[in-house]
Amino acid sequence: MRAAHRASARRVRQALAGRGPARRDVFVEALRQVPTEVRDAWVDEVFGLDGIAEDQSLPRGCVGYLPCATSTVLRVVAELGVTEGDVFVDIGSGAGRVTALVHLVTGAGCVGLEIQPHLARAAERLSARLRLTRAPTVVGDAVETLPSMEIGTVFFLYCPFGGDRIAETFAALRDIARARPIRICAVNLPVPPQPWLTPIDSSGVDVELYASVE
């Protein structure tokens, strides 16, 4: 990352550490000026993230933590029309990078679901560092915690697991969709046929978007 981009990231980090309604505007405007190829490194610099945290004792079927590309997250929130009136739920949220990014870009309430306690603690530290008031992380298995996420309107899955867990997760999401319309994004995760979902056009081959029709 060039020195100018690193300096920009430091300025934005200082702005986010302050108070006032302009914090998000500063972040979004600066992010727009960063070239796509360095956005991941720039966001990590702003957020104070250094490398990828190691996994610990994952249950069978779960996939190790790997942050989703910033460009993919930005494309998803634009194509799903995420706004500050939404509640964005990241299933397998890791160290909180996506929830923090989505909250700052859209103003939406964001909830992370993470099965590894040390990653959830890292996400809570990130939220505190950036003074985010609507981006908590819940520790637990997604299949068990999703039933308490009826408030969610957008659900994000970046290849968090495979096998039976996919079917169980989508069964839990269907129960939520019976109470309210929801949208779902799956990144690098082939979604089994779901008659209660209708596809939404996406510009990325790695992304599947859906809206519930319950």
Side-chain angles (χ1 to χ4, degrees):
M1 186 167 60
R2 295 173 55 186
H5 297 139
R6 198 175 300 278
S8 163
R10 287 196 295 268
R11 287 194 299 271
V12 173
R13 190 196 308 176
Q14 291 172 353
L16 291 177
R19 300 183 183 276
R23 296 166 64 253
R24 278 183 44 225
D25 294 340
V26 170
F27 176 82
V28 172
E29 182 56 34
L31 178 60
R32 285 176 180 154
Q33 298 177 34
V34 177
T36 301
E37 62 272 16
V38 297
R39 279 181 172 172
D40 288 335
W42 184 88
V43 167
D44 286 348
E45 183 75 18
V46 172
F47 289 178
L49 299 175
D50 184 17
I52 299 174
E54 294 185 2
D55 297 302
Q56 298 177 2
S57 61
L58 278 168
R60 178 176 301 210
C62 290
V63 176
Y65 172 57
L66 184 65
C68 187
T70 298
S71 58
T72 299
V73 176
L74 296 178
R75 187 172 76 237
V76 165
V77 298
E79 293 178 347
L80 286 180
V82 179
T83 70
E84 60 185 356
D86 281 303
V87 176
F88 181 99
V89 179
D90 183 5
I91 301 173
S93 53
R97 189 176 186 274
V98 168
T99 51
L101 178 60
V102 172
H103 176 67
L104 288 169
V105 169
T106 69
C110 294
V111 180
L113 301 183
E114 175 53 49
I115 199 168
Q116 299 191 70
H118 74 291
L119 291 180
R121 289 192 296 270
E124 287 295 305
R125 290 194 296 271
L126 173 60
S127 186
R129 198 158 59 240
L130 300 179
R131 295 183 182 272
L132 307 182
T133 58
R134 300 177 63 210
T137 298
V138 176
V139 183
D141 189 306
V143 175
E144 298 173 358
T145 55
L146 271 174
S148 65
M149 292 290 115
E150 298 97 337
I151 193 173
T153 59
V154 179
F155 292 84
F156 180 84
L157 302 93
Y158 176 40
C159 195
F161 34 63
D164 293 340
R165 284 180 175 271
I166 296 177
E168 293 170 348
T169 297
F170 275 86
L173 289 171
R174 182 173 187 174
D175 289 341
I176 295 173
R178 290 191 174 107
R180 65 159 70 226
I182 64 174
R183 291 105 79 203
I184 296 173
C185 168
V187 182
N188 292 332
L189 178 70
V191 176
Q194 304 290 330
W196 58 279
L197 291 177
T198 184
I200 298 173
D201 288 339
S202 171
S203 60
V205 296
D206 57 336
V207 173
E208 295 183 30
L209 306 178
Y210 299 92
S212 64
V213 293
E214 291 283 322

